[in-house]
Amino acid sequence: MPSTQQLEDLTTQVRRDILRMVHKVNSGHPGGSLGCAEFFVTLYQDIMEYSTDFDMNGIGEDLFFLSNGHISPVYYSVLARSGFFPVDELNTFRLINSRLQGHPTTHEGLPGVRIASGSLGQGMSVAIGAAQAKKLNKDSHLVYSLHGDGELQEGQNWEAIMYAAGNQVDNLIATVDLNGQQIDGSTDTVLPMGSLRAKFEAFGWTVVDIENGNDIESILKGMAEAKSKTGQGKPVCVLLKTVMGNGVDFMMHTHAWHGKAPNDEQLEIGLSQNPETLGDY
């Protein structure tokens, strides 16, 4: 397993990738991508068991589904730097005929991507279906998913959440990126959701909190706890408390960078705060 320093170095490089990808095409979603960089790096470099010899069925390996597909920059960067496809393909982000579209799509045949995720609120249902398929196949591996906190305002999630508990889908770890921001403002301003812990527990889930979701060691500890609670008759929810725009000071703690690209000057500032560690693409 990589050391904490190696994971932190990769996270810094991933942040550079995100900034450069979005800047080049003046389009994309840097805020949530930056906020989840530590989580994605830790998930793919330490937590999950998978093969880069990609197969859509994913038999005999852990699966991951990204529900809030607009944070594709961090997803693409980590997939590439984990060996799913060449790192220099990041140069093609959001270009015509690229496999790296603004929202992940299976139509382009990109290794690592098993669902198209652009319409919010659907990833929970897909993850539950995949988890049930693993049970039917007597495959002991786990299914992981990631969701935005604002995304949980979509009603389909709660039908799926109720279904998962009712059917004891206990090989699922669904993580919620709890950054308190969404496209039009803070989640408390747009539509307050109260206690997500209380809601998930009321729906029959086990809940694990990661108070510092931008700290590698905290993520490792929290996800190990979540994994230890699988197989006990309940699905597991991880509430991952992150900072939107983490690692770039002027993008942090605000919804303003949900879907806005940095200009040339802002890019240089962001890159200066995240020195090159593993080599730019």
Side-chain angles (χ1 to χ4, degrees):
M1 293 295 181
S3 67
T4 301
Q5 186 60 56
Q6 288 173 314
L7 294 174
E8 290 175 349
D9 287 347
L10 178 52
T11 299
T12 300
Q13 190 64 51
V14 166
R15 283 200 289 263
R16 289 181 65 88
D17 291 348
I18 293 166
L19 292 168
R20 295 178 65 234
M21 290 162 68
V22 173
H23 169 265
K24 179 181 177 182
V25 291
N26 193 32
S27 179
H29 296 78
S33 294
L34 292 166
C36 285
E38 290 86 355
F39 174 76
F40 270 88
V41 166
T42 307
L43 188 70
Y44 273 90
Q45 293 292 309
D46 192 289
I47 298 167
M48 286 205 311
E49 297 178 6
Y50 62 86
S51 170
T52 54
D53 184 13
F54 184 69
D55 172 78
M56 284 294 283
N57 291 321
I59 296 172
E61 59 184 308
D62 294 336
L63 304 182
F64 172 74
F65 295 99
L66 175 64
S67 188
N68 50 329
H70 55 276
I71 64 168
S72 62
V74 64
Y75 193 22
Y76 295 152
S77 172
V78 172
L79 284 177
R81 293 189 178 276
S82 298
F84 282 90
F85 57 88
V87 173
D88 61 9
E89 192 170 347
L90 297 178
N91 264 311
T92 72
F93 177 66
R94 279 185 175 248
L95 298 181
I96 293 175
N97 297 322
S98 169
R99 297 196 296 180
L100 309 186
Q101 290 301 307
H103 293 83
T105 156
T106 53
H107 176 73
E108 307 296 343
L110 187 68
V113 175
R114 288 189 168 87
I115 62 166
S117 50
S119 298
L120 295 177
Q122 299 180 7
M124 183 71 74
S125 300
V126 175
I128 291 167
Q132 287 193 301
K134 283 200 172 292
K135 282 179 170 286
L136 289 171
N137 290 332
K138 301 189 182 336
D139 183 343
S140 62
H141 286 78
L142 299 175
V143 174
Y144 295 85
S145 60
L146 180 66
H147 314 265
D149 49 1
E151 182 189 4
L152 293 184
Q153 295 162 357
E154 298 274 3
Q156 179 175 326
N157 287 296
W158 298 99
E159 295 180 53
I161 290 164
M162 179 169 56
Y163 176 92
N167 288 274
Q168 298 186 320
V169 184
D170 58 0
N171 55 340
L172 169 66
I173 299 176
T175 298
V176 179
D177 177 20
L178 204 61
N179 61 28
Q181 306 292 333
Q182 59 188 101
I183 188 170
D184 289 328
S186 72
T187 52
D188 283 342
T189 299
V190 177
L191 182 62
M193 291 183 289
S195 170
L196 287 179
R197 167 178 273 277
K199 283 182 168 61
F200 272 93
E201 287 181 340
F203 274 69
W205 286 52
T206 296
V207 180
V208 173
D209 286 292
I210 300 180
E211 292 293 334
N212 188 351
N214 295 117
D215 176 71
I216 297 289
E217 292 289 353
S218 296
I219 295 170
L220 287 170
K221 181 179 178 181
M223 295 304 287
E225 180 184 355
K227 187 173 181 179
S228 74
K229 294 180 181 298
T230 60
Q232 297 178 20
K234 293 184 177 183
V236 179
C237 169
V238 174
L239 296 178
L240 180 79
K241 298 179 182 177
T242 70
V243 174
M244 179 170 273
N246 188 60
V248 180
D249 57 8
F250 61 87
M251 292 186 177
M252 295 172 68
H253 303 287
T254 174
H255 73 282
W257 293 94
H258 170 91
K260 183 174 71 173
N263 60 31
D264 292 350
E265 180 181 357
Q266 291 164 335
L267 173 67
E268 290 309 313
I269 294 171
L271 293 179
S272 71
Q273 295 173 13
N274 293 278
E276 188 175 353
T277 55
L278 302 178
D280 288 335
Y281 59 83

